Amino acid sequence: MNDSLHTSSAAPHGPLRIGAVDEEILRAINRLQYMTAAQVGRLLYPDQHDDNRYVQRRLRSLVEAGYLLRLRELPTPRIGSAPHVFTLADRGRRFVAGRGEVLASSYYRPSEERAKARDNPFMEHTLAAVDVLVAAESLCRRFQVSMPRLLNERQLKRSSVRVQPAGRPAPRVAVIPDAWFELQVSDDPSVAITLELDRATEGQKHWRRKIAALTAWAEGPYRQAFGADNLTVAVAAPSTPRREQLSAWTHEELEDIGKAELADIFLFTEASPVETDPFELFFTPCWYPAGQDDAVSLLDPLPETPEADATATVHPAAASKPDETASPPKFTWALMDVEEEVEREPE
């Protein structure tokens, strides 16, 4: 059967022909694992202002044809309707793999995906991490920035390692960031970023134990496991007071365990990845090193003339009108060899 033309008994209007736009949606959901219509819209159609109606129609068609699994609605917001969460279904996984893409996970059970969606804290945390990754990928589409490697949380679980928290007599713990990715500006060396999403649910004791574990990880198995010679731990906080609190706790922990020289690798921001332009989020001073009041940018140096270069670097899928023939940009999965998943340490 031709992969570009599949039939489905659930499809009300006959066979669904998979065009370039649908393929790019499937590739994006494969990379990020879970996405809402709003996230797909921000990534692929940032200039459209139709309340994501076009994206919702494409997603609905992909669900009806068996390429996507539509999970349950998220809790209803105060304004608007509750969004659905989408992940690749079996047919979508086969299609993406047939196009030469590496699947984010070789394991798929629809019942387990639906069970995860019923776990509100898990799904809300996961989608918050996806918001940051959408901003990073949007940056790559608009400017001379590339993402050589990306690992989502599921992959990081599969390849996690246990470390002895630095300077603490605590038991060994698994280090599982919310995401890890590299960004490369033009031909400069890549910047490796470990993402930590905070939702103001952790107390000081738990947070400081996490910092001690991340410190041991950064100084120990990280370089060999990831093949990277640099690391930035980017912490996204929900508010300025919480950002200041986490920064102070981190600084105090680093001082107590004798690792104060690592304060600069821990950067904190309260900037929303949804409401902040991707260029501003990554290239302007809105990140604060642990214990410091002066903000820095996550990426440096700045592109010399981003506005002048925009027409040359904008990807066709970011245009206001969908381009059915556009080829998606390339992102590379950094896969590990460990198959057994390691569960996140209980909080």
Side-chain angles (χ1 to χ4, degrees):
M1 180 186 296
N2 187 338
D3 276 339
S4 65
L5 183 63
H6 287 258
T7 61
S8 172
S9 59
H13 304 296
L16 174 66
R17 184 178 296 276
I18 299 296
V21 170
D22 298 305
E23 180 173 342
E24 193 162 12
I25 290 173
L26 295 174
R27 288 174 182 264
I29 294 178
N30 175 53
R31 288 194 302 275
L32 303 183
Q33 189 178 355
Y34 301 104
M35 295 186 78
T36 64
Q39 290 171 333
V40 173
R42 286 201 305 276
L43 178 61
L44 302 184
Y45 308 106
D47 297 327
Q48 282 196 331
H49 303 287
D50 64 348
D51 294 325
N52 296 309
R53 286 189 293 271
Y54 173 76
V55 170
Q56 289 169 352
R57 289 197 301 271
R58 302 304 287 245
L59 292 171
R60 187 182 307 116
S61 296
L62 289 167
V63 169
E64 291 171 346
Y67 289 87
L68 291 179
L69 180 66
R70 181 170 54 202
L71 304 175
R72 78 173 187 86
E73 295 178 345
L74 296 173
T76 304
R78 287 180 297 176
I79 300 176
S81 58
H84 283 96
V85 181
F86 299 86
T87 192
L88 286 188
D90 190 59
R91 177 172 283 185
R93 290 166 57 82
R94 294 199 307 269
F95 177 88
V96 169
R99 289 297 188 269
E101 292 288 303
V102 177
L103 291 173
S105 173
S106 58
Y107 182 82
Y108 172 72
R109 295 289 185 277
S111 60
E112 293 186 15
E113 295 296 341
R114 293 188 178 95
K116 290 178 183 178
R118 290 193 292 270
D119 183 346
N120 284 343
F122 165 80
M123 189 53 68
E124 290 174 0
H125 188 95
T126 297
L127 292 175
V130 170
D131 283 333
V132 178
L133 296 177
V134 165
E137 290 204 9
S138 298
L139 187 78
C140 295
R141 292 169 180 272
R142 292 171 52 189
F143 301 97
Q144 293 293 339
V145 181
S146 61
M147 186 183 292
R149 293 190 288 170
L150 165 65
L151 284 165
N152 63 30
E153 185 182 23
R154 175 176 288 184
Q155 293 170 307
L156 292 166
K157 277 186 177 182
R158 195 186 314 141
S159 58
S160 66
V161 295
R162 290 184 174 271
V163 299
Q164 177 72 43
R168 297 294 181 188
R172 294 173 67 84
V173 296
V175 175
I176 308 173
D178 294 316
W180 180 91
F181 57 100
E182 289 180 317
L183 291 177
Q184 184 175 16
V185 181
S186 299
D187 296 325
D188 291 346
S190 297
V191 176
I193 299 171
T194 288
L195 178 64
E196 287 289 339
L197 259 296
D198 176 74
R199 299 183 64 82
T201 59
E202 296 178 348
Q204 180 174 180
K205 182 178 179 180
H206 182 89
W207 180 259
R208 291 182 62 158
R209 186 166 64 246
K210 176 183 288 188
I211 294 302
L214 282 167
T215 300
W217 179 69
E219 292 194 316
Y222 167 74
R223 289 175 183 265
Q224 181 176 357
F226 288 80
D229 60 2
N230 67 86
L231 176 65
T232 297
V233 180
V235 182
S239 66
T240 298
R242 180 62 173 177
R243 185 259 297 168
E244 293 173 343
Q245 184 181 58
L246 294 177
S247 177
W249 289 349
T250 301
H251 178 69
E252 292 168 7
E253 180 65 18
L254 293 174
E255 289 278 357
D256 286 352
I257 62 178
K259 300 294 181 180
E261 70 276 7
L262 296 181
D264 287 346
I265 76 169
F266 292 93
L267 300 182
F268 300 81
T269 190
E270 69 273 34
S272 166
V274 176
E275 299 174 0
T276 307
D277 180 83
F279 181 87
E280 295 180 0
L281 183 64
F282 289 94
F283 280 113
T284 63
C286 60
W287 296 83
Y288 295 81
Q292 299 183 28
D293 296 326
D294 295 328
V296 299
S297 60
L298 196 58
L299 295 180
D300 189 65
L302 298 173
E304 293 182 359
T305 55
E307 294 81 8
D309 292 342
T311 57
T313 57
V314 169
H315 189 270
S320 58
K321 294 183 179 180
D323 186 340
E324 294 285 349
T325 63
S327 298
K330 296 297 182 181
F331 300 88
T332 303
W333 287 109
L335 295 177
M336 303 299 177
D337 294 326
V338 180
E339 294 297 331
E340 182 180 0
E341 289 196 357
V342 180
E343 295 299 323
R344 181 182 292 276
E345 291 295 299
E347 297 185 4

